[in-house]
Amino acid sequence: TGGAISMRLEWCCTRPWRSSVTSRPRTVREMENYLDGQNYGEYEVYAAVERLKELKYLDDVRYAADFVSTRLATKPLSRRKLKEQLRTHYLSADDIDAAMEQVTDDVERRNAMAVAEKFYRQFEGLEEYDRRQRIVRRLAGRGYDFGVIRDSVEELIGAIDCPIESDGEDEE
């Protein structure tokens, strides 16, 4: 009946989303899956999601941008890994691409360098060759391209091997 659907829909739009939306950010698709799992009908799920969008509780573009900036601040990852993680949240390719605009080549290089420095310190007990290989594997595991890995490792090892650069004059 119309009254039962309206009452159930009102409850759907007011009660369940409070804990599920405020406990952590969700994408539109994640909310649809959540409400579907709560045994709401297709119409109720659609209406609830539309209402949550109107109230600005669901915004995939904002979700993707916040996700990327948080990940970059807490655990530097490559563009490839970030895109992979965003896809697991059922975001559209356009939303992912918009969020990835904040990951410039410079940001990617700085993040790779930060990761390389972290692992260089962590593996200080190893011989130089093994140390370098482990750093390369860790950077590859985080999804960095080989060129970025090579540049970061060469810059790091060179900077550590030669902490003071000569001013061009030979001492005799």
Side-chain angles (χ1 to χ4, degrees):
T1 66
I5 290 176
S6 299
M7 209 159 80
R8 184 163 158 82
L9 180 60
E10 181 62 29
W11 186 82
C12 167
C13 287
T14 56
R15 187 179 174 281
W17 64 264
R18 283 186 190 154
S19 62
S20 63
V21 170
T22 57
S23 66
R24 71 175 182 84
R26 292 182 190 260
T27 64
V28 169
R29 178 79 182 275
E30 288 172 333
M31 182 55 69
E32 289 171 346
N33 290 345
Y34 170 77
L35 292 173
D36 190 46
Q38 298 296 313
N39 296 320
Y40 290 105
E42 187 176 326
Y43 171 75
E44 293 168 317
V45 170
Y46 174 79
V49 166
E50 289 304 310
R51 178 72 176 132
L52 293 171
K53 284 185 200 177
E54 287 173 22
L55 295 170
K56 307 277 190 243
Y57 283 108
L58 293 177
D59 182 351
D60 284 355
V61 173
R62 187 182 70 221
Y63 178 91
D66 290 349
F67 183 92
V68 169
S69 57
T70 300
R71 280 293 193 271
L72 291 177
T74 57
K75 183 178 181 181
L77 294 171
S78 68
R79 286 184 190 116
R80 184 179 312 141
K81 278 288 188 191
L82 283 169
K83 280 185 175 184
E84 188 178 295
Q85 288 181 357
L86 287 168
R87 279 189 216 105
T88 66
H89 292 276
Y90 309 107
L91 292 163
S92 71
D94 291 340
D95 293 342
I96 291 172
D97 290 342
M100 294 306 294
E101 288 177 5
Q102 59 187 301
V103 187
T104 63
D105 289 342
D106 187 49
V107 169
E108 179 104 342
R109 281 191 295 277
R110 279 186 290 155
N111 287 342
M113 191 63 180
V115 173
E117 288 170 350
K118 171 188 169 186
F119 289 118
Y120 190 85
R121 288 188 304 273
Q122 184 176 340
F123 299 134
E124 72 179 320
L126 299 175
E127 291 186 27
E128 199 63 34
Y129 177 79
D130 292 334
R131 195 178 199 184
R132 183 185 300 252
Q133 291 304 310
R134 288 214 183 166
I135 293 168
V136 167
R137 283 196 301 268
R138 293 292 173 99
L139 288 170
R142 290 204 180 177
Y144 291 101
D145 292 328
F146 179 72
V148 173
I149 294 171
R150 183 190 61 232
D151 294 346
S152 298
V153 171
E154 286 178 2
E155 182 180 334
L156 178 65
I157 304 297
I160 292 173
D161 287 343
C162 306
I164 302 172
E165 295 182 18
S166 71
D167 58 2
E169 298 177 3
D170 291 331
E171 295 182 21
E172 292 189 32

